[in-house]
Amino acid sequence: MLRKIEAIIREDKLNDVKEGLKAIGIMGMNVCDVRGHGRQGGIVLSGRSGTYQVDLLPKIQLNIVLSEQNVDETVQAIVKSARSGVAGEAGDGLIFILPVEEVVRIRTGERGHEAVMYPGDIDERKGRGKTKS
Ligand SMILES: Nc1ncnc2c1ncn2[C@@H]1O[C@H](COP(=O)(O)OP(=O)(O)OP(=O)(O)O)[C@@H](O)[C@H]1O
Ligand SMILES: [Mg+2]
């Protein structure tokens, strides 16, 4: 079974998170800029003309499609590298985990698990590069 991790993280944590993922052998990913808010509904800033509410804050969304067997380790790596300090802070983000129907690598026509395997990735390191999806 394939899954997609959508991690909404702080912009300034992107490098740490990328390093954390590289360290466990997660290779394929994409990133986009998003704006949003969670339960605090944004933040209040004070300027010359008083205070004002910024309700949509910039964040980074990191997208990773991977095998279900690698989800837990990957989520742990993201939490560890994206959390502010030891206790974490409001606005540190959220991780969504979704089912993925199918993946096709355009160059080869490979599908499923095979389409998201890379030389030296998390599965190869664990000696299970040929496991079925
Ligand atoms: N329910 C949601 N659906 C989609 N995106 C969300 C949702 N909640 C938050 N986000 C996105 O995640 C970002 C970070 O959210 P945030 O970390 O503030 O979550 P929270 O639930 O308020 O937790 P905390 O109390 O730790 O702040 C938001 O800026 C927004 O982009
Ligand atoms: Mg919040």
Side-chain angles (χ1 to χ4, degrees):
M1 186 65 185
L2 292 169
R3 297 267 193 248
K4 181 182 182 190
I5 292 178
E6 294 181 0
I8 315 286
I9 60 167
R10 294 182 187 280
E11 294 178 301
D12 59 4
K13 291 291 186 184
L14 180 58
N15 266 322
D16 290 348
V17 173
K18 278 195 299 185
E19 289 298 314
L21 291 170
K22 199 170 159 192
I24 61 166
I26 294 295
M27 311 276 213
M29 68 183 68
N30 74 74
V31 158
C32 47
D33 294 309
V34 295
R35 293 189 307 146
H37 63 73
R39 71 178 121 203
Q40 289 79 18
I43 52 170
V44 176
L45 293 177
S46 21
R48 268 169 301 199
S49 52
T51 64
Y52 58 100
Q53 172 84 12
V54 181
D55 67 340
L56 295 173
L57 295 167
K59 298 281 173 184
I60 298 282
Q61 180 176 329
L62 193 72
N63 300 303
I64 306 167
V65 173
L66 73 182
S67 299
E68 185 174 25
Q69 63 194 4
N70 296 325
V71 167
D72 288 347
E73 194 176 348
T74 304
V75 167
Q76 279 172 37
I78 295 170
V79 168
K80 197 170 144 198
S81 51
R83 185 177 278 161
S84 302
V86 183
E89 284 173 22
D92 278 350
L94 290 169
I95 301 175
F96 305 114
I97 301 162
L98 296 75
V100 169
E101 193 71 27
E102 184 61 294
V103 182
V104 181
R105 178 173 276 133
I106 292 173
R107 175 173 59 88
T108 57
E110 290 164 293
R111 285 174 175 262
H113 181 70
E114 307 236 306
V116 287
M117 284 184 28
Y118 310 88
D121 73 3
I122 187 167
D123 289 318
E124 272 202 10
R125 290 181 192 199
K126 296 194 158 143
R128 60 185 187 202
K130 291 278 180 280
T131 41
K132 288 212 69 192
S133 51

